[in-house]
Amino acid sequence: MDSAKGPIDLGLKKIRCVEMHTTGEPTRIVYDGFPSLQGTLLEQRAQAKRDHDCTELVGRGEAHMGVLFMTNDGFSTMCGHATIALGRFLVDTHDKTVFPKRAELRHDPDSHTTELNLHTSCGIVAVTVPTVADGSRSDPAKPVSFISVPSFATGVQVEVPLPAEYRWPQLGARTSVLADFAYGGAFYCMVSHAELGFDESLDKAPKVNLHEYSHATERLKSAINANPDLKPLLRHPDSLDLGFLYSIMVVDDSLGVAARGSSGVETGLCFFADQQVDRSPTGGAVAARVALAYAKGARTLGQRWTYHSLLSNVCGGKGAFVGSPCAEVETSGADGIAKRGVHVKVEGQAFYTGFSSFVVETQDFLPQDGFAFRDLAS
């Protein structure tokens, strides 16, 4: 892993990374050089947000590795596509300085899989990684799967009022929309493209106007966050730090190719964090959407369903995620439909794209926290 030293040695501390993608959505795994953090993982997330824009469950033996997920807007509580990528990486690395508990992983020679527990900000996520016969490395030809934290719906077909300052042109004369709300490691709002006022299906992927969808979903997210009557839909019974709206997911249940062995299919366009578009089908949202369907009585335990993104659809169906409710769980402290939650199995594939190393010279006049380019037309 230390092969990216470059042609010169500047004597600077390096931030070392592995680059991967899951259905085109990049994951940069920072395995060395990130600042030291203290406290519980949620406290570390808060410290990382505050100070930097070995976790407690790893120390207690409940998890093999702790992880913080970073986005263009800071730190999220869950990231499914990155979990799938990280699962492969942790099986593939045998460097104890990177993964001290690698030797504790147990390989199943019958199923050719290795299981590990990740401590994420939302809780323990169990990951199953397919391997080659001897278990020494992952098998990229087969999907990684993870079992979500308890996932649950909080609102079905909720009317979201839209005061004038939060409306967008495609709404026409309407002053509200109907949307669903659910949690899958983070809170998601699901709304159909037609409900947003867009007539065309998401099957027009190359011609989908992402700027218009981004404007509409940003307005909707702002309206939800500004409405105190909707706050209970974003309340997590375990932690106030989990109680925020992470994403608007635009859904189209008429589109996509169902994976083998699944009962149905739908497509989603996810705007998360600071209006970042997820190229993948969004693993956390798959958990939330499965929990929502289960709450509606539209799924049974073990029933597999295919979830596409715009990219997986134009790739002929390759890259889809498959989600299924695998166990019912009571959500302690929750009210209403949120009390009946599920653990969700999410399946998907990730692939390596490269290795990288970064440095910052103290004399560099740019801010030490870096910079980002944004599309000024958006």
Side-chain angles (χ1 to χ4, degrees):
M1 291 297 177
D2 198 26
S3 59
K5 290 184 176 180
I8 57 176
D9 185 359
L10 298 175
L12 298 172
K13 182 177 181 180
K14 296 179 176 64
I15 299 174
R16 295 185 172 89
C17 311
V18 173
E19 313 292 341
M20 302 183 72
H21 84 88
T22 311
T23 318
E25 185 66 9
T27 297
R28 171 168 289 158
I29 301 172
V30 181
Y31 66 87
D32 184 42
F34 195 81
S36 178
L37 302 171
Q38 305 298 323
T40 69
L41 198 63
L42 277 174
E43 290 169 348
Q44 289 183 39
R45 175 176 174 266
Q47 181 185 347
K49 288 173 66 178
R50 182 183 69 246
D51 298 337
H52 308 293
D53 191 337
C54 169
T55 72
E56 74 277 15
L57 296 189
V58 174
R60 294 208 301 258
E62 298 177 39
H64 297 101
M65 176 65 81
V67 57
L68 287 172
F69 299 114
M70 294 177 279
T71 70
N72 70 342
D73 192 39
F75 293 80
S76 66
T77 55
M78 177 58 192
C79 186
H81 88 272
T83 295
I84 290 167
L86 183 58
R88 281 200 64 197
F89 169 72
L90 292 176
V91 168
D92 290 339
T93 184
H94 293 266
D95 186 338
K96 292 182 179 180
T97 65
V98 174
F99 186 14
K101 291 182 176 286
R102 175 61 180 85
E104 296 181 15
L105 301 186
R106 292 293 173 259
H107 175 247
D108 185 337
D110 296 323
S111 64
H112 291 172
T113 59
T114 295
E115 296 185 354
L116 59 100
N117 288 335
L118 283 182
H119 183 198
T120 72
S121 295
C122 64
I124 293 287
V125 175
V127 185
T128 300
V129 181
T131 67
V132 296
D134 65 0
S136 61
R137 56 184 173 85
S138 63
D139 182 352
K142 298 176 181 178
V144 174
S145 66
F146 67 84
I147 305 298
S148 74
V149 296
S151 302
F152 49 87
T154 57
V156 176
Q157 290 298 276
V158 176
E159 184 174 8
V160 179
L162 295 168
E165 64 268 28
Y166 295 115
R167 296 173 199 160
W168 53 92
Q170 290 77 15
L171 273 178
R174 289 188 298 144
T175 60
S176 65
V177 296
L178 295 175
D180 297 324
F181 293 82
Y183 177 83
F187 279 99
Y188 295 84
C189 169
M190 276 67 67
V191 60
S192 73
H193 65 94
E195 189 66 19
L196 290 176
F198 293 89
D199 295 328
E200 286 191 333
S201 168
L202 292 178
D203 65 345
K204 309 297 183 184
K207 297 182 180 179
V208 168
N209 193 321
L210 292 180
H211 288 305
E212 291 182 352
Y213 270 104
S214 180
H215 177 65
T217 54
E218 187 276 330
R219 294 288 78 204
L220 176 57
K221 188 175 184 180
S222 295
I224 294 168
N225 286 331
N227 190 331
D229 293 336
L230 301 178
K231 295 298 183 186
L233 298 169
L234 307 174
R235 186 166 55 220
H236 195 282
D238 292 341
S239 174
L240 292 175
D241 287 335
L242 297 173
F244 64 95
L245 180 58
Y246 180 57
S247 165
I248 303 291
M249 170 64 79
V250 184
V251 296
D252 185 343
D253 60 8
S254 68
L255 177 63
V257 177
R260 182 179 299 177
S262 69
S263 302
V265 61
E266 58 190 71
T267 293
L269 171 58
C270 178
F271 291 88
F272 69 98
D274 188 16
Q275 291 304 103
Q276 189 171 340
V277 175
D278 195 341
R279 299 174 184 86
S280 83
T282 313
V286 168
R289 290 155 78 185
V290 170
L292 175 66
Y294 191 79
K296 291 179 176 180
R299 297 285 188 282
T300 57
L301 291 179
Q303 186 177 14
R304 302 172 75 244
W305 206 265
T306 302
Y307 295 87
H308 279 288
S309 64
L310 298 188
L311 183 57
S312 65
N313 272 330
V314 299
C315 290
K318 295 180 179 179
F321 289 0
V322 175
S324 56
C326 55
E328 188 171 314
V329 59
E330 181 177 342
T331 310
S332 177
D335 300 317
I337 59 172
K339 288 185 68 68
R340 185 170 176 247
V342 286
H343 287 289
V344 179
K345 181 179 181 180
V346 180
E347 307 167 53
Q349 289 178 275
F351 302 93
Y352 290 97
T353 58
F355 304 88
S356 56
S357 182
F358 299 91
V359 299
V360 176
E361 293 187 286
T362 56
Q363 298 87 354
D364 193 337
F365 60 87
L366 288 176
Q368 293 296 300
D369 57 356
F371 59 94
F373 291 105
R374 297 197 61 181
D375 184 353
L376 298 180
S378 62

